[in-house]
Amino acid sequence: MLEIRHLKTLHALREADSLVDAADRLHLTQSALSHQFKELEERMGMPLFVRKTKPVRFTSAGLRLLQLADATLPLLRGAERDIARLAGGTAGRLHMAIECHSCFQWLMPTIDQFRDAWPEVELDLASGFSFAPLPALARGDLDLVVTSDPLELAGITYVPLFTYEAMLAVANQHRLASKAYIVPEDLLSETLITYPVERDRLDIFTRFLEPADIEPAQVRTSELTVMMMQLVASGRGVCGMPHWALHEYSSRGYVKAKRLGDKGLFATLYAGIRADMLDAPYMRDFLLTAKDTSFSTLDGVSAVR
């Protein structure tokens, strides 16, 4: 009666907290996912969760199946890894760099899981802020680069990890705190706080301010997210950053998160990989683990459509 896909959909619904987000994670339409739940409930002869509740409330039957999913899915993933080892490719190298100051929040748990699963793989992580990681990837010095700014390079493939929204952090009492959304002209008199990277790698410049020919009154930089939030909270500037990085501070009331533009400013984070590495079993598993970890730990990210 039960199939693995049923356990995966229930698990995704619990992690996502809504049918829309669960469908995103499973790369299904909401209609297809609803149909799948209806079919499963008909098989079980009872409802598995209460509709139109947030967070989702599961029935006793749904909770029992979630227990089964929690016990079964890790075993399935482990078996798949063991089979991949048997098929070869258990040893190798995975040297990576990141072009994202706020990526450590989900990347470090990913690396911890990966090390346990692939102990024979030589793993190394470098910050890509002091050198150009994508050319290093093309040369073969690196095997993977996490970036939101893919460059067309021979032999490099970009695998989308997730889509996120870039937002603006402002102090709770700031004049912009009550606005429904921010327009470029709002930043004419503001100090904009950014990470210390080139402007052409910052979405708030390339996709928000520069198209409107707007320059903020002042730009200052900081390498640490927590320091940037302290500056914002004390009224010494505003700061653009991914929603997942900002959520930790806005959810506690330290600062306010404001949408950039009436429709929001969205971007995609990619894993740049050398083409010869794409089929390595441990590389495929790392990408799956990275996606699973980001969806389970980050607020406001979605699957790339």
Side-chain angles (χ1 to χ4, degrees):
M1 294 176 66
L2 276 173
E3 300 175 22
I4 293 297
R5 64 187 177 96
H6 295 141
L7 299 181
K8 287 182 175 179
T9 53
L10 276 169
H11 181 269
L13 180 59
R14 181 183 64 188
E15 296 299 314
D17 258 355
S18 76
L19 278 173
V20 175
D21 289 342
D24 253 357
R25 296 187 184 198
L26 295 168
H27 305 289
L28 297 172
T29 65
Q30 185 179 352
S31 174
L33 186 60
S34 296
H35 179 76
Q36 194 174 120
F37 276 122
K38 182 179 179 182
E39 174 197 17
L40 178 58
E41 288 177 329
E42 288 176 351
R43 289 190 187 191
M44 297 292 103
M46 60 184 66
L48 300 177
F49 65 96
V50 182
R51 266 61 176 179
K52 298 181 180 179
T53 58
K54 193 167 184 179
V56 176
R57 284 176 29 225
F58 290 91
T59 64
S60 295
L63 291 172
R64 180 63 187 88
L65 290 183
L66 280 171
Q67 289 178 345
L68 178 62
D70 289 338
T72 303
L73 294 180
L75 292 175
L76 178 66
R77 187 70 172 273
E80 290 173 339
R81 286 169 173 158
D82 290 342
I83 291 169
R85 287 191 179 94
L86 291 173
T90 61
R93 186 192 83 166
L94 181 50
H95 289 187
M96 69 184 81
I98 58 174
E99 289 188 330
C100 168
H101 279 76
S102 49
C103 284
F104 288 100
Q105 184 175 348
W106 60 269
L107 191 56
M108 297 315 293
T110 297
I111 288 174
D112 287 342
Q113 290 184 48
F114 182 82
R115 278 200 178 105
D116 291 340
W118 300 90
E120 299 95 345
V121 174
E122 178 191 340
L123 188 63
D124 188 48
L125 173 64
S127 164
F129 310 131
S130 58
F131 68 101
L134 289 175
L137 178 65
R139 290 194 305 270
D141 298 337
L142 296 171
D143 306 303
L144 181 148
V145 172
V146 177
T147 181
S148 58
D149 302 297
L151 299 176
E152 190 171 340
L153 295 169
I156 303 302
T157 298
Y158 294 95
V159 178
L161 296 174
F162 55 81
T163 294
Y164 64 92
E165 184 173 3
M167 304 191 78
L168 190 76
V170 303
N172 291 323
Q173 305 305 319
H174 196 280
R175 64 181 182 87
L176 299 177
S178 60
K179 292 199 66 174
Y181 58 87
I182 306 300
V183 297
E185 290 77 10
D186 289 330
L187 302 188
L188 276 170
S189 59
E190 296 296 329
T191 295
L192 181 62
I193 305 165
T194 73
Y195 293 113
V197 299
E198 297 86 353
R199 287 190 178 201
D200 59 7
R201 290 168 57 189
L202 293 170
D203 288 333
I204 195 167
F205 280 108
T206 60
R207 298 176 52 206
F208 188 67
L209 294 174
E210 290 175 2
D213 196 24
I214 296 295
E215 177 72 17
Q218 186 178 349
V219 177
R220 66 181 296 179
T221 62
S222 174
E223 291 191 359
L224 299 176
T225 301
V226 64
M227 181 59 69
M228 297 167 80
M229 291 299 97
Q230 287 180 354
L231 292 171
V232 170
S234 61
R236 285 179 280 177
V238 297
C239 172
M241 66 172 51
H243 182 265
W244 88 72
L246 180 52
H247 178 73
E248 177 183 353
Y249 302 94
S250 62
S251 64
R252 297 178 182 179
Y254 298 153
V255 296
K256 296 230 181 251
K258 309 305 297 183
R259 172 162 278 191
L260 292 166
D262 60 339
K263 296 181 180 178
L265 182 62
F266 293 87
T268 298
L269 201 66
Y270 297 89
I273 304 165
R274 295 202 322 275
D276 61 295
M277 294 285 292
L278 270 175
D279 291 330
Y282 62 83
M283 180 65 81
R284 292 200 302 268
D285 188 62
F286 180 85
L287 293 173
L288 286 172
T289 303
K291 290 182 180 181
D292 288 347
T293 303
S294 59
F295 284 126
S296 64
T297 59
L298 302 181
D299 188 82
V301 302
S302 59
V304 180
R305 297 182 181 278

